[in-house]
Amino acid sequence: MMNVTLRQLQVFVAVSDTLHFTRAADSLHLSQSSVSTQIRELEECLGFRLFDRHTRMLRLTEAGSEILPLARKAVADLESVIGSSAQIKTLRRGRVSMAVASVQAALVVPRVVREFTDANPGIKVVIHDVPQDVVLTMVRAGEVDFGLGTASGSRHDLGVRRLWGEVFVAVLPPGHPLTRQPRLTWRDLQDAPVIGPSSDNPVREQLDFALAREGISLSRLYEVSLPLTMVGMVEGGLGIGVMTISIAKVAQALDLVLRPVTAPTIEREVSLLFHPDRSLSPAAQTLCDLIHARRAELAPREGEPVRRAVAMG
């Protein structure tokens, strides 16, 4: 079995270009004996002579002439691979794809992606803004490098790197009777027309699991996939939204009222999510590390939006 090396092919091309061992050795910063050895070993691997050697002259054999274009291409291809890998390793080029739950994609990710791309302009970042359950599906299928969202409480088949917690709040239309209360309990919402995510949503799974331990269950009048739709339905007077504090900016822009919900206070976890059997590229790992390092700045400020909403109410 042939064991041809990149160095042997580089030496063969250099000697072919110069037709001189010494000049080829100088161009490659090798000794003449090393060049001669590389050519001899390559000839032994191939099973034929590449050069006819005379006292003052060196010329390619017919077989050597036929091999030369292939050797040039192989050397160019391998050097391209090595060059590309160096660029990827040093973040001069590459691509990162991430699946992000829609609210985080709109309100969290842009800040950190801008910092990352400013520092690494050769890296293209692709953001898939999708519902929570689709984040998990894309990460599990290997369709993205990583995800940003909430892991399912009932399955543990993903790598999870926790970032922050977000408390649940009630989103109410102005003038709703419950806005008269500075804070609500979950039992206040048991008979209310609640708008929330569908049953396969991991955020809902976390909430329902926590409520079940308290003997509480919510009946969703409407189930939808995207938080923006839930907010729109609250504004349209269809019910009360049960969401996390991350929606505060959007809800308050529509003059809706937020109320904290307690007894108990419940959080959903926002995490970086990984396929357990896939390694991250240097670029993807760098972006993940940056998101984790900036987590305190990226997390929604849990108390302030609710306090403003209480004052407005």
Side-chain angles (χ1 to χ4, degrees):
M1 184 176 184
M2 290 192 297
N3 187 24
V4 176
T5 67
L6 173 60
R7 173 58 80 188
Q8 289 171 346
L9 294 178
Q10 288 173 322
V11 169
F12 170 53
V13 171
V15 174
S16 299
D17 289 343
T18 61
L19 293 178
H20 200 283
F21 281 103
T22 301
R23 287 196 289 271
D26 290 342
S27 70
L28 295 171
H29 305 290
L30 298 173
S31 66
Q32 181 177 340
S33 62
S34 177
V35 167
S36 298
T37 299
Q38 295 285 347
I39 293 296
R40 184 176 66 254
E41 291 176 350
L42 179 59
E43 289 176 331
E44 291 173 357
C45 285
L46 297 175
F48 51 78
R49 295 182 66 83
L50 297 170
F51 298 96
D52 285 328
R53 299 164 178 81
H54 301 281
T55 304
R56 295 179 177 272
M57 186 175 66
L58 189 70
R59 69 181 182 186
L60 279 164
T61 63
E62 183 176 346
S65 296
E66 292 182 12
I67 284 292
L68 181 58
L70 301 176
R72 287 190 193 282
K73 184 177 186 305
V75 169
D77 289 346
L78 286 169
E79 288 179 344
S80 177
V81 168
I82 293 170
S84 295
S85 65
Q87 288 185 324
I88 290 170
K89 183 177 180 181
T90 56
L91 306 186
R92 292 199 299 273
R93 61 176 290 187
R95 178 180 183 274
V96 180
S97 61
M98 54 193 298
V100 187
S102 57
V103 172
Q104 282 72 38
L107 303 180
V108 175
V109 166
R111 287 175 281 166
V112 72
V113 168
R114 179 176 179 180
E115 180 180 354
F116 176 81
T117 53
D118 283 350
N120 305 285
I123 306 296
K124 180 179 181 180
V125 179
V126 179
I127 302 169
H128 300 269
D129 51 334
V130 295
Q132 286 282 344
D133 56 311
V134 178
V135 172
L136 306 186
T137 299
M138 294 184 75
V139 175
R140 288 184 180 117
E143 297 174 8
V144 291
D145 293 307
F146 63 92
L148 179 63
T150 296
S152 171
S154 59
R155 297 180 62 177
H156 304 281
D157 57 345
L158 295 176
V160 176
R161 190 177 184 186
R162 189 183 186 279
L163 295 173
W164 61 77
E166 297 178 356
V167 295
F168 282 90
V169 296
V171 183
L172 307 157
H176 191 284
L178 290 178
T179 62
R180 301 189 191 103
Q181 300 177 211
R183 61 183 58 246
L184 304 173
T185 70
W186 291 106
R187 296 194 185 279
D188 292 329
L189 302 179
Q190 280 195 115
D191 298 322
V194 170
I195 302 167
S198 57
S199 59
D200 57 355
N201 185 293
V203 176
R204 174 169 167 175
E205 285 186 15
Q206 285 196 357
L207 174 60
D208 285 353
F209 181 76
L211 290 177
R213 288 184 298 185
E214 304 295 325
I216 301 170
S217 64
L218 298 181
S219 176
R220 274 80 174 181
L221 180 62
Y222 295 100
E223 297 182 353
V224 294
S225 296
L226 298 176
L228 183 58
T229 305
M230 299 176 205
V231 170
M233 294 176 77
V234 173
E235 185 192 32
L238 294 176
I240 298 171
V242 173
M243 310 172 73
T244 67
I245 196 64
S246 60
I247 202 65
K249 288 183 180 179
V250 177
Q252 290 172 352
L254 295 174
D255 292 325
L256 301 177
V257 179
L258 274 67
R259 286 291 182 266
V261 187
T262 60
T265 297
I266 301 173
E267 287 189 350
R268 60 77 71 95
E269 291 188 355
V270 177
S271 302
L272 291 166
L273 307 171
F274 310 97
H275 192 291
D277 300 322
R278 295 188 60 179
S279 299
L280 293 178
S281 68
Q285 185 64 62
T286 300
L287 179 53
C288 284
D289 291 343
L290 179 61
I291 292 171
H292 190 264
R294 298 286 183 269
R295 63 192 182 279
E297 305 159 37
L298 297 173
R301 300 184 185 281
E302 297 169 357
E304 186 62 23
V306 176
R307 284 196 292 271
R308 288 203 302 269
V310 170
M312 291 169 57

